[in-house]
Amino acid sequence: DNEDPVINCPGDLSVNTDPGQNTATVNYATPAGTDNCPGVSTALTAGLGSGANFPLGLTTETYTATDAAGNTASCSFDITVSDGEMPMISCPADITVNNDPGLCGAVVTYTPPVGTDNTAGAITTQTAGLGSGATFPVGTTTETYLVTDAAGNTASCSFTVTVIDNENPTIACPADITVNNDPGLCSAVVSYTAPTGGDNCPAAVTTQTAGLGSGATFPVGVTTETYLVTDAAGNTASCSFTITVNDNENPTIACPANITVNSDPGQNTAVVTYS
């Protein structure tokens, strides 16, 4: 018997990993050899066999048929296991904090998320934001993390870090001012250095909310000057001082000239009229 047996393998197979696993259980129809004479046997000579857990990548299955005379024939097919499962990543909840004293921001620390996957080799990277322990500016910053597995599958998550400016601005007014009236006027021109507010963040605006302002003509009496500073977050502070104008100028008076008249007839007096 010099006739080789005959054996036919199934076609190549491509499957994804089983959920949560880095392998796949693969079942296929096991080939069986045939021959012109009885007594042929079929054996798996390479690979894992039907029903086994196949690793990621390509595994070649080879079957060999041997007849009673020792003639052989073999066939092969490939089983390819791909990682089609996305990795997983979970970000912390959104974070809201107040600014650090005197700063237009806050140092914020959190636990950076780390992605997981059904296979080894997943890498987590930060793709947006500042990272744990950084000084975050007032406002909202979005933190985004991306995990990429060995097969190139990706997943991402995001959360926000919000820093609230709850620090009031500061403002200091000059001391109260007292002056005399300008000569001949019931007032005085008064100049002073207008206060300017400061804040932990830029863009604070200072406005005068009461009074006349530096360089104005202030009337005799007390005038209250009030200044208000408002920061970008709407926090406010104010200060006030007074400007007092005293009238220290004496009035003036002029009498008419001396008057000489005769007594009224038959009287030892005289009726005298004057302005």
Side-chain angles (χ1 to χ4, degrees):
D1 178 9
N2 72 338
E3 185 173 337
D4 291 337
V6 176
I7 189 169
N8 292 307
C9 283
D12 295 338
L13 299 176
S14 294
V15 297
N16 286 325
T17 52
D18 293 337
Q21 304 294 320
N22 62 352
T23 60
T25 300
V26 181
N27 293 291
Y28 57 85
T30 302
T34 60
D35 192 51
N36 58 314
C37 292
V40 64
S41 63
T42 303
L44 175 67
T45 55
L48 297 177
S50 179
N53 287 324
F54 284 76
L56 282 170
L58 184 146
T59 301
T60 299
E61 305 284 281
T62 301
Y63 281 84
T64 300
T66 305
D67 66 13
N71 302 307
T72 63
S74 63
C75 68
S76 298
F77 65 101
D78 294 329
I79 294 178
T80 302
V81 177
S82 300
D83 178 11
E85 187 170 337
M86 297 297 178
M88 295 185 297
I89 190 169
S90 178
C91 280
D94 294 341
I95 299 171
T96 299
V97 298
N98 290 326
N99 67 292
D100 291 340
L103 297 179
C104 193
V107 175
V108 179
T109 301
Y110 59 84
T111 301
V114 177
T116 59
D117 192 51
N118 59 313
T119 63
I123 298 173
T124 303
T125 55
Q126 185 173 13
T127 57
L130 298 176
S132 178
T135 299
F136 286 75
V138 165
T140 299
T141 302
T142 299
E143 307 284 281
T144 302
Y145 282 81
L146 176 74
V147 55
T148 305
D149 67 15
N153 301 309
T154 63
S156 65
C157 68
S158 297
F159 65 102
T160 60
V161 175
T162 301
V163 179
I164 297 173
D165 177 13
N166 73 335
E167 185 170 337
N168 289 332
T170 58
I171 191 169
C173 281
D176 294 341
I177 299 171
T178 300
V179 297
N180 291 324
N181 67 293
D182 291 340
L185 298 178
C186 192
S187 60
V189 174
V190 180
S191 295
Y192 58 85
T193 301
T196 300
D199 192 51
N200 57 310
C201 290
V205 177
T206 303
T207 56
Q208 186 173 15
T209 58
L212 298 176
S214 179
T217 300
F218 286 77
V220 166
V222 178
T223 301
T224 299
E225 306 284 281
T226 301
Y227 282 82
L228 175 74
V229 55
T230 305
D231 67 14
N235 302 307
T236 62
S238 64
C239 68
S240 296
F241 65 103
T242 60
I243 295 177
T244 302
V245 178
N246 292 326
D247 177 9
N248 74 335
E249 187 172 335
N250 290 330
T252 58
I253 189 169
C255 285
N258 294 333
I259 301 171
T260 299
V261 296
N262 291 322
S263 60
D264 292 338
Q267 303 293 324
N268 61 351
T269 61
V271 175
V272 180
T273 302
Y274 59 86
S275 298

Coordinates of all heavy atoms in Angstrom, one line a residue, residues 136-183:
F136 N -4.2 74.8 40.2 CA -5.3 75.0 39.2 C -5.8 76.5 39.3 O -6.0 77.0 40.4 CB -6.5 74.1 39.5 CG -6.2 72.7 39.2 CD1 -5.4 71.9 39.9 CD2 -6.8 72.1 38.0 CE1 -5.1 70.6 39.6 CE2 -6.5 70.8 37.7 CZ -5.6 70.0 38.4
P137 N -6.0 77.1 38.2 CA -6.5 78.5 38.2 C -8.0 78.6 38.6 O -8.7 77.6 38.5 CB -6.3 78.9 36.7 CG -6.5 77.7 36.0 CD -5.9 76.6 36.8
V138 N -8.4 79.8 39.0 CA -9.8 80.0 39.3 C -10.6 79.8 38.0 O -10.2 80.2 36.9 CB -10.0 81.5 39.8 CG1 -11.5 81.8 39.7 CG2 -9.5 81.6 41.2
G139 N -11.7 79.0 38.1 CA -12.5 78.6 37.0 C -12.5 77.1 37.0 O -12.2 76.4 37.9
T140 N -12.9 76.6 35.8 CA -13.1 75.1 35.6 C -12.0 74.6 34.7 O -11.9 75.1 33.6 CB -14.5 74.8 35.1 OG1 -15.5 75.3 36.1 CG2 -14.7 73.3 34.9
T141 N -11.3 73.5 35.1 CA -10.4 72.8 34.3 C -10.8 71.4 34.1 O -11.2 70.7 35.0 CB -9.0 72.8 35.0 OG1 -8.5 74.2 35.2 CG2 -8.0 72.1 34.1
T142 N -10.8 70.9 32.9 CA -11.2 69.5 32.6 C -10.0 68.6 32.5 O -9.0 68.9 31.8 CB -12.0 69.5 31.2 OG1 -13.2 70.3 31.3 CG2 -12.4 68.0 30.9
E143 N -10.1 67.6 33.3 CA -9.0 66.6 33.3 C -9.5 65.3 32.5 O -10.5 64.8 32.8 CB -8.7 66.1 34.8 CG -8.4 67.3 35.7 CD -7.0 67.8 35.5 OE1 -6.1 67.2 36.0 OE2 -6.9 68.8 34.9
T144 N -8.7 64.9 31.6 CA -9.0 63.8 30.8 C -7.9 62.7 30.8 O -6.7 63.1 30.6 CB -9.3 64.2 29.3 OG1 -10.4 65.1 29.3 CG2 -9.7 63.0 28.5
Y145 N -8.3 61.5 31.0 CA -7.3 60.4 31.0 C -7.7 59.4 29.9 O -8.9 59.1 29.7 CB -7.3 59.7 32.3 CG -6.5 60.5 33.4 CD1 -7.0 61.6 34.0 CD2 -5.1 60.2 33.6 CE1 -6.3 62.3 34.9 CE2 -4.4 60.9 34.5 CZ -5.0 62.0 35.2 OH -4.2 62.7 36.1
L146 N -6.7 58.8 29.2 CA -6.9 57.8 28.2 C -6.1 56.6 28.5 O -5.0 56.6 28.9 CB -6.4 58.4 26.8 CG -6.4 57.5 25.6 CD1 -7.9 57.3 25.1 CD2 -5.6 58.1 24.5
V147 N -6.8 55.4 28.3 CA -6.1 54.1 28.5 C -6.1 53.4 27.1 O -7.1 53.4 26.4 CB -6.8 53.2 29.5 CG1 -8.3 53.0 29.3 CG2 -6.1 51.9 29.6
T148 N -4.9 52.9 26.7 CA -4.7 52.2 25.5 C -4.2 50.8 25.7 O -3.1 50.7 26.4 CB -3.8 53.0 24.6 OG1 -4.2 54.4 24.4 CG2 -3.6 52.3 23.2
D149 N -4.8 49.8 25.2 CA -4.3 48.5 25.5 C -3.4 48.0 24.4 O -3.1 48.8 23.4 CB -5.5 47.4 25.7 CG -6.3 47.2 24.4 OD1 -5.8 47.6 23.3 OD2 -7.4 46.6 24.5
A150 N -2.8 46.8 24.6 CA -1.8 46.4 23.6 C -2.3 46.2 22.2 O -1.5 46.2 21.3 CB -1.2 45.1 24.2
A151 N -3.6 46.1 22.1 CA -4.2 45.9 20.7 C -4.6 47.2 20.1 O -5.1 47.2 19.0 CB -5.4 45.0 20.8
G152 N -4.4 48.3 20.9 CA -4.7 49.6 20.3 C -6.1 50.1 20.6 O -6.5 51.1 20.2
N153 N -6.9 49.3 21.4 CA -8.2 49.7 21.8 C -8.1 50.8 22.9 O -7.1 50.7 23.7 CB -9.0 48.5 22.4 CG -9.1 47.4 21.4 OD1 -9.6 47.6 20.2 ND2 -8.8 46.2 21.8
T154 N -9.0 51.7 22.9 CA -8.9 52.8 23.8 C -10.2 53.1 24.6 O -11.3 52.7 24.1 CB -8.5 54.1 23.1 OG1 -9.5 54.5 22.2 CG2 -7.1 54.0 22.4
A155 N -10.0 53.7 25.7 CA -11.2 54.2 26.5 C -10.7 55.5 27.2 O -9.5 55.6 27.6 CB -11.7 53.2 27.4
S156 N -11.6 56.4 27.5 CA -11.2 57.6 28.2 C -12.3 58.0 29.2 O -13.4 57.6 29.1 CB -11.0 58.7 27.2 OG -12.2 59.1 26.5
C157 N -11.9 58.9 30.1 CA -12.9 59.5 31.1 C -12.4 60.9 31.4 O -11.2 61.2 31.2 CB -13.0 58.6 32.3 SG -11.5 58.6 33.4
S158 N -13.3 61.7 31.9 CA -13.0 63.1 32.2 C -13.7 63.5 33.5 O -14.8 62.9 33.9 CB -13.4 64.0 31.1 OG -12.7 63.7 29.9
F159 N -13.2 64.4 34.2 CA -13.8 65.1 35.3 C -13.3 66.5 35.4 O -12.3 66.9 34.7 CB -13.5 64.3 36.6 CG -12.1 64.3 37.1 CD1 -11.7 65.2 38.1 CD2 -11.2 63.5 36.5 CE1 -10.3 65.2 38.5 CE2 -9.8 63.5 36.9 CZ -9.4 64.3 37.9
T160 N -14.0 67.3 36.2 CA -13.6 68.8 36.2 C -13.1 69.1 37.6 O -13.5 68.6 38.6 CB -14.8 69.7 35.9 OG1 -15.9 69.4 36.8 CG2 -15.3 69.4 34.5
V161 N -12.2 70.1 37.6 CA -11.7 70.7 38.8 C -12.1 72.2 38.8 O -11.6 72.9 37.9 CB -10.1 70.5 39.0 CG1 -9.7 71.3 40.2 CG2 -9.8 69.1 39.1
T162 N -12.9 72.6 39.7 CA -13.4 74.0 39.7 C -12.9 74.7 40.9 O -13.0 74.2 42.1 CB -15.0 74.0 39.7 OG1 -15.5 73.3 38.5 CG2 -15.5 75.4 39.7
V163 N -12.2 75.8 40.7 CA -11.7 76.6 41.8 C -12.5 77.9 41.9 O -12.6 78.6 40.9 CB -10.2 76.9 41.6 CG1 -9.7 77.8 42.7 CG2 -9.3 75.7 41.5
I164 N -13.1 78.1 43.0 CA -13.9 79.3 43.2 C -13.2 80.4 44.0 O -12.5 80.1 45.0 CB -15.2 78.9 44.0 CG1 -16.0 77.9 43.2 CG2 -16.0 80.1 44.4 CD1 -17.2 77.3 44.0
D165 N -13.2 81.6 43.4 CA -12.6 82.7 44.1 C -13.6 83.3 45.1 O -14.5 84.0 44.8 CB -12.2 83.8 43.1 CG -11.6 85.0 43.7 OD1 -11.2 85.0 44.9 OD2 -11.4 86.1 43.1
N166 N -13.4 82.9 46.4 CA -14.3 83.5 47.4 C -13.5 84.4 48.3 O -14.0 84.7 49.4 CB -14.9 82.3 48.2 CG -13.8 81.7 49.2 OD1 -12.6 81.7 48.9 ND2 -14.3 81.1 50.3
E167 N -12.4 84.9 47.8 CA -11.6 85.9 48.6 C -12.0 87.3 48.2 O -11.9 87.7 47.1 CB -10.1 85.6 48.4 CG -9.2 86.5 49.3 CD -7.8 86.0 49.2 OE1 -7.5 84.9 48.8 OE2 -6.9 86.9 49.5
N168 N -12.4 88.1 49.3 CA -12.8 89.5 49.0 C -11.5 90.3 48.6 O -10.4 90.1 49.1 CB -13.4 90.1 50.2 CG -14.8 89.6 50.5 OD1 -15.5 89.1 49.6 ND2 -15.2 89.6 51.7
P169 N -11.7 91.3 47.7 CA -10.6 92.2 47.4 C -10.4 93.1 48.6 O -11.1 93.1 49.6 CB -11.2 93.0 46.2 CG -12.7 93.0 46.3 CD -13.0 91.6 47.0
T170 N -9.4 93.9 48.5 CA -9.0 94.9 49.6 C -8.9 96.3 49.0 O -8.6 96.5 47.8 CB -7.7 94.5 50.2 OG1 -6.7 94.5 49.2 CG2 -7.7 93.1 50.8
I171 N -9.2 97.3 49.9 CA -9.1 98.7 49.5 C -8.9 99.5 50.8 O -9.5 99.2 51.8 CB -10.4 99.1 48.7 CG1 -10.2 100.5 48.1 CG2 -11.6 99.1 49.6 CD1 -11.3 100.9 47.1
A172 N -8.1 100.5 50.7 CA -7.7 101.4 51.8 C -7.9 102.8 51.4 O -7.3 103.3 50.4 CB -6.3 101.1 52.3
C173 N -8.8 103.5 52.1 CA -9.0 105.0 51.8 C -8.0 105.8 52.6 O -7.5 105.4 53.6 CB -10.4 105.3 52.2 SG -11.7 104.8 51.1
P174 N -7.8 107.1 52.1 CA -7.0 108.0 52.8 C -7.7 108.4 54.1 O -8.8 108.2 54.3 CB -6.8 109.2 51.8 CG -7.9 109.1 50.9 CD -8.3 107.6 50.8
A175 N -6.9 109.1 55.0 CA -7.5 109.6 56.2 C -8.4 110.7 55.9 O -8.4 111.3 54.9 CB -6.3 110.1 57.1
D176 N -9.3 111.0 56.9 CA -10.2 112.1 56.8 C -9.5 113.4 56.5 O -8.4 113.6 57.1 CB -11.1 112.2 58.0 CG -12.0 111.0 58.2 OD1 -12.3 110.3 57.2 OD2 -12.5 110.8 59.4
I177 N -10.1 114.3 55.8 CA -9.5 115.5 55.4 C -10.3 116.7 55.9 O -11.5 116.7 55.8 CB -9.3 115.6 53.9 CG1 -8.5 114.5 53.3 CG2 -8.8 117.0 53.4 CD1 -8.5 114.4 51.8
T178 N -9.6 117.7 56.5 CA -10.3 118.9 57.0 C -9.6 120.1 56.4 O -8.3 120.2 56.6 CB -10.4 119.0 58.5 OG1 -11.1 117.8 59.0 CG2 -11.0 120.2 59.0
V179 N -10.3 121.0 55.8 CA -9.7 122.2 55.2 C -10.6 123.4 55.4 O -11.8 123.2 55.8 CB -9.5 122.0 53.6 CG1 -8.6 120.9 53.3 CG2 -10.9 121.8 53.0
N180 N -10.0 124.6 55.2 CA -10.8 125.8 55.3 C -11.3 126.2 53.9 O -10.8 125.7 52.9 CB -9.9 127.0 55.8 CG -9.6 126.8 57.3 OD1 -10.4 126.3 58.1 ND2 -8.3 127.2 57.7
N181 N -12.4 127.0 53.9 CA -13.0 127.4 52.7 C -11.9 128.2 51.9 O -11.0 128.9 52.4 CB -14.2 128.2 52.9 CG -13.9 129.5 53.6 OD1 -13.5 129.5 54.8 ND2 -14.1 130.7 52.9
D182 N -12.1 128.2 50.6 CA -11.3 129.0 49.7 C -11.7 130.5 49.9 O -13.0 130.7 50.1 CB -11.4 128.6 48.3 CG -10.8 127.3 48.0 OD1 -9.9 126.8 48.8 OD2 -11.1 126.6 47.0
P183 N -10.8 131.5 49.9 CA -11.2 132.9 50.1 C -12.4 133.3 49.3 O -12.4 133.2 48.0 CB -9.9 133.6 49.8 CG -8.8 132.6 50.0 CD -9.4 131.3 49.6

